[in-house]
Amino acid sequence: MADRLAHSAKNAGELMSSLVNLLHEHMLKYNWVGFYMIEKPLTAAEPPMLVLSAFEGAMTPHTRIPLNQGICGAAASSGKTVVVDDVSSDSRYLACSIETKSEIVVPIYVHAEVVGELDIDSHFPAAFGCEDRELVEHCSLLVGKYLEQTPE
Ligand code: SME
């Protein structure tokens, strides 16, 4: 299903919106699903930022996240998937909703460089097991490959 979206999308924005919609609609424990993309600063003095892109779920106060903050920043700066089973016990966590109990963040690579990430929050503790991780990593890979083939 996700692969089909990658074939039919007219641009990366449409692909990201449809993936967010698919995951939010069909995965019952995925209560907030969104992409953050890295905005490169105009001057060297400014830090790069993760900027909220397509998302579904409650509006978050975290629309711009520096790479050294939050679970989102940790995933983007390490380039590795971060799974947090209990956000209340992780000091990096930036609260989005008091209902959120667990979170997964998967980086998106384009030509071996992190360009953004797919972030999912759940109202259930430890909602993201091996199969979820594989699914979310696959979706991130689809976006990375799409961006590699069709730079915008
Ligand atoms: N919880 C994230 C912030 C983004 S909201 O979950 C949508 C973090 O700790 O980086």
Side-chain angles (χ1 to χ4, degrees):
M1 189 70 175
D3 294 58
R4 230 181 291 153
L5 293 176
H7 288 294
S8 61
K10 290 191 199 72
N11 53 53
E14 187 182 300
L15 175 60
M16 291 193 280
S17 297
S18 49
L19 284 173
V20 158
N21 184 263
L22 181 75
L23 294 171
H24 191 251
E25 290 287 308
H26 292 274
M27 304 302 288
L28 297 180
K29 291 187 177 179
Y30 295 10
N31 301 108
W32 190 95
V33 181
F35 284 95
Y36 284 93
M37 302 308 283
I38 294 179
E39 180 188 79
K40 294 235 174 84
L42 296 173
T43 67
E46 296 166 75
M49 285 276 177
L50 287 159
V51 180
L52 183 62
S53 177
F55 76 97
E56 286 204 19
M59 186 57 199
T60 171
H62 304 294
T63 55
R64 296 174 67 81
I65 303 174
L67 264 62
N68 61 357
Q69 284 182 27
I71 295 165
C72 286
S77 53
S78 70
K80 296 202 169 102
T81 296
V82 180
V83 177
V84 179
D85 288 341
D86 172 11
V87 292
S88 71
S89 67
D90 193 316
S91 59
R92 299 169 298 180
Y93 176 65
L94 298 171
C96 172
S97 148
I98 51 160
E99 289 181 296
T100 297
K101 300 287 189 295
S102 57
E103 177 161 8
I104 182 170
V105 188
V106 178
I108 297 168
Y109 280 87
V110 170
H111 300 305
E113 189 188 341
V114 178
V115 299
E117 61 194 22
L118 177 51
D119 176 19
I120 304 182
D121 293 354
S122 178
H123 296 171
F124 300 84
F128 305 105
C130 289
E131 287 181 8
D132 298 277
R133 186 186 176 122
E134 277 174 24
L135 171 65
V136 184
E137 287 182 343
H138 182 69
C139 291
S140 293
L141 203 69
L142 284 178
V143 175
K145 277 191 194 158
Y146 194 99
L147 287 168
E148 278 181 5
Q149 286 156 16
T150 56
E152 283 179 19

